[in-house]
Amino acid sequence: AKAAGKHQYRFYAEAMTRAAQDKLHLRGQLSQAVAKGEFEVHYQPQVELTTGRLIGLEALVRWRQADGRLIPPGAFIPLAEETGLIIPLGTWVLREACAQAVRWQAEGYPELGVSVNVSVRQWEEPAFMPLVQQILLDTGLSPSHLILEITESVLLSDPQDARMQAEGLASLGVRVALDDYGTGYSNLSQLQSLRIGQLKLDRSFVQPLPGGPREQALVQSALTLGQALDARVVAEGIETEEQLLMLHALGCPVGQGYFLGRPVPAAEFEVQHLQR
Ligand code: C2E
Ligand code: CA
Ligand code: CA
Ligand code: CA
């Protein structure tokens, strides 16, 4: 038994070393990828549920490796955050998405808004606000068409600071969206003190729909909160017509999800959503 234990330990240690090496390798590749510009922004439509009108889009980053493979953000964003590479990467995504929105606005969609994900690391950079201002200036996007998506985790380290930054962005005219709403654990008073322009209802609340009274009541409570906070609710992860119809029946104003459109490259987005 002792020998087996030792053997198991060695196996474990080797596996750990491999994992650490893989990570180191990925880390090296990632920093080169930032330098080489191997990233792409894909866009997913956001649709007004009463009219079916396209009102916005979410920018979602992907990594196009040299061999053509497309790596989803879940596989590299955490490492980018850990290494600080999220700062240059996030800046690039923000600039790219704003510039793209301006082009599409000029092509006949003047009201199109663009939502960009912001990691805690970026949000906490002292230079974040000036950066946002600079990018708006450089690209010519009006602040009212930019939505920055953050998660409740920005409240963890310095809630007071998060509050002030959200205020500052609001005073510029930029809206802040609370992403993945319903998966965190902030209390209502914390949320209430944060100036939020949009509430993104996590897909775990959408998936069970049409559901029963219980599932519907949870969505309803998010809609009520949205109203109280003066924040527009966007339902995430709509995959079926049944889910869409129930959200519409419950009074949810905006939806996003595979049923309405998957995230696609800009050229594909034009074909799918901007040609009438
Ligand atoms: P998120 O911000 O919650 O983005 C929504 C995710 O759900 C996206 O995954 C999207 O492709 C996926 N999704 C959309 N509709 C549906 C649906 O109907 N069903 C299902 N099952 N999924 C749907 P994606 O693109 O893989 O991004 C994953 C996460 O990576 C994002 O979650 C966000 O947290 C992060 N991320 C993506 N782009 C960026 C970025 O530019 N910067 C930062 N900091 N994070 C990013
Ligand atoms: Ca998001
Ligand atoms: Ca989300
Ligand atoms: Ca997320």
Side-chain angles (χ1 to χ4, degrees):
K2 205 173 175 190
K6 229 177 189 165
H7 176 74
Q8 261 173 12
Y9 170 74
R10 230 185 83 203
F11 180 76
Y12 176 74
E14 278 167 8
M16 283 306 283
T17 309
R18 219 174 305 124
Q21 278 169 350
D22 284 353
K23 193 168 163 184
L24 205 66
H25 182 62
L26 186 66
R27 192 178 176 135
Q29 279 188 311
L30 191 62
S31 74
Q32 281 179 10
V34 172
K36 287 193 285 191
E38 288 184 352
F39 295 95
E40 294 179 6
V41 181
H42 287 199
Y43 299 92
Q44 186 176 31
Q46 295 178 340
V47 174
E48 191 170 61
L49 296 187
T50 47
T51 60
R53 209 163 52 100
L54 173 74
I55 59 162
L57 38 99
E58 179 173 0
L60 295 157
V61 72
R62 274 99 182 82
W63 177 7
R64 178 77 68 182
Q65 289 194 324
D67 58 8
R69 271 198 308 152
L70 202 62
I71 315 289
F76 64 86
I77 290 282
L79 190 60
E81 281 171 350
E82 205 182 297
T83 54
L85 282 168
I86 193 69
I87 302 294
L89 176 58
T91 301
W92 178 80
V93 172
L94 183 59
R95 190 176 287 279
E96 181 76 11
C98 289
Q100 184 61 72
V102 167
R103 286 195 287 273
W104 284 335
Q105 286 178 349
E107 285 165 19
Y109 294 83
E111 290 313 317
L112 211 55
V114 61
S115 298
V116 181
N117 293 286
V118 175
S119 79
V120 182
R121 220 24 210 272
Q122 288 174 277
W123 175 264
E124 288 178 348
E125 274 286 288
F128 183 66
M129 282 260 288
L131 175 74
V132 170
Q133 277 183 290
Q134 188 61 49
I135 288 176
L136 289 171
L137 215 62
D138 293 346
T139 59
L141 184 71
S142 103
S144 62
H145 290 112
L146 176 62
I147 297 151
L148 298 174
E149 300 196 356
I150 58 173
T151 58
E152 285 168 44
S153 51
V154 303
L155 287 167
L156 287 180
S157 69
D158 193 341
Q160 173 65 16
D161 200 62
R163 237 190 320 275
M164 277 169 47
Q165 183 145 292
E167 279 301 324
L169 287 164
S171 72
L172 294 179
V174 173
R175 267 170 297 165
V176 170
L178 187 65
D179 207 350
D180 305 338
Y181 173 70
T183 61
Y185 35 78
S186 302
N187 61 47
L188 288 180
S189 76
Q190 278 175 311
L191 285 185
Q192 181 227 15
S193 66
L194 193 64
R195 182 82 89 84
I196 291 161
Q198 199 181 83
L199 204 63
K200 298 197 76 176
L201 181 63
D202 190 71
R203 69 161 175 269
S204 53
F205 293 87
V206 172
Q207 230 94 95
L209 298 179
R214 197 186 146 83
E215 287 75 20
Q216 292 162 16
L218 286 174
V219 173
Q220 214 118 45
S221 81
L223 292 168
T224 305
L225 179 66
Q227 245 153 17
L229 297 178
D230 204 13
R232 202 156 195 214
V233 176
V234 177
E236 293 193 290
I238 304 174
E239 291 182 352
T240 69
E241 187 169 23
E242 290 69 34
Q243 291 164 357
L244 180 75
L245 291 174
M246 181 48 71
L247 285 161
H248 178 242
L250 291 169
C252 181
V254 184
Q256 185 180 342
Y258 294 165
F259 184 73
L260 296 163
R262 289 184 175 255
V264 287
E268 184 60 26
F269 190 88
E270 290 181 11
V271 172
Q272 286 185 18
H273 304 287
L274 302 181
Q275 285 167 6
R276 17 185 185 189

